[in-house]
Amino acid sequence: MILSMQLLYRFIIGGLVIALFATAGDLLRPKSFAGIFGAAPALALATLGLAVLERGSIYAATEARSMMVGAAAFVLYAGVSSRLLRGGTRAASSVTIANLGLWLLFAFFGWLLVLRVPM
């Protein structure tokens, strides 16, 4: 019962935050800003808010750092993919699939450098 209520809260809060971010994206100019306010940042904020309420600020801080490392790895992945696709000679599907390993490598080294608990 507690798990189902937790999922319901996540669904409602996440949906409301996504709706707010989508509205902000529609109101901003140029329209390319709308992608910045997509579902991922909204869900991240909702997840962090619930993490603070359920497990405390230390746990939420760890989650936030994890999200930042994942976002940095994604930015590197997107930059490399964009650079490889710029010439128009490669298929987007093959470049993105091949670079998933690169994203995993970036994320792993980010974890090693930033998130791993020292022994």
Side-chain angles (χ1 to χ4, degrees), residues 95-118:
V95 169
T96 55
I97 290 171
N99 283 339
L100 284 176
L102 188 61
W103 173 84
L104 182 62
L105 189 68
F106 289 151
F108 178 73
F109 281 111
W111 173 79
L112 279 177
L113 294 173
V114 177
L115 300 173
R116 188 172 59 108
V117 177

Side-chain angles (χ1 to χ4, degrees), residues 6 10 44 46-68 115 117:
Q6 182 183 41
R10 287 178 190 258
T47 300
L48 286 176
L50 287 170
V52 168
L53 290 175
E54 292 174 4
R55 297 193 179 181
S57 59
I58 293 174
Y59 178 82
T62 302
E63 290 295 309
R65 284 194 322 247
S66 300
M67 289 176 186
M68 289 189 287
L115 300 173
V117 177

Side-chain angles (χ1 to χ4, degrees), residues 13-92:
I13 292 171
L16 289 173
V17 174
I18 287 171
L20 289 172
F21 272 76
T23 302
D26 283 342
L27 295 175
L28 291 175
R29 303 250 184 246
K31 287 296 179 187
S32 60
F33 280 137
I36 295 171
F37 295 105
L43 283 176
L45 290 175
T47 300
L48 286 176
L50 287 170
V52 168
L53 290 175
E54 292 174 4
R55 297 193 179 181
S57 59
I58 293 174
Y59 178 82
T62 302
E63 290 295 309
R65 284 194 322 247
S66 300
M67 289 176 186
M68 289 189 287
V69 168
F74 178 74
V75 166
L76 290 170
Y77 159 83
V80 170
S81 295
S82 173
R83 184 80 171 160
L84 290 173
L85 290 171
R86 202 169 285 173
T89 58
R90 296 177 180 94

